[in-house]
Amino acid sequence: MQDLVAALISFFLIDPLQAKVTDTLTAARVPQAVLAAVTTCAREARPVIVDRATSDPWWAVSSIVHVWIGNVRPEALLADTAPACRPAIEAARPFLAGKEA
């Protein structure tokens, strides 16, 4: 049962979140090294996100909706959920703001 829940969380939350972050960073022309760091961090954060979503289903549902409607930026959700990803996301922030580092 736990595997099924983890698969559903991955399908509805983690995979779309990771794809949106990657698309956003690619569109912002983030250097490949920074993109790789964020992507790796997002992949390694899967267990943290699954734990959070299984312990707080309301958070999972509201996170999906907020990212989907654009109230929350995907990289901000990733940084809040997986604090270990903050340094990689902070390295990408100047590019997301439209400034080159």
Side-chain angles (χ1 to χ4, degrees), residues 6-19 39-54 59 78 81-82 85:
L8 289 172
I9 291 168
S10 286
F11 183 75
F12 287 108
L13 180 62
I14 298 171
D15 293 343
L17 177 70
Q18 191 172 3
T39 303
T40 299
C41 189
R43 187 174 39 257
E44 291 172 355
R46 278 181 184 266
V48 173
I49 296 170
V50 168
D51 287 345
R52 172 88 188 262
T54 55
W59 172 85
L78 180 60
T81 308
C85 290

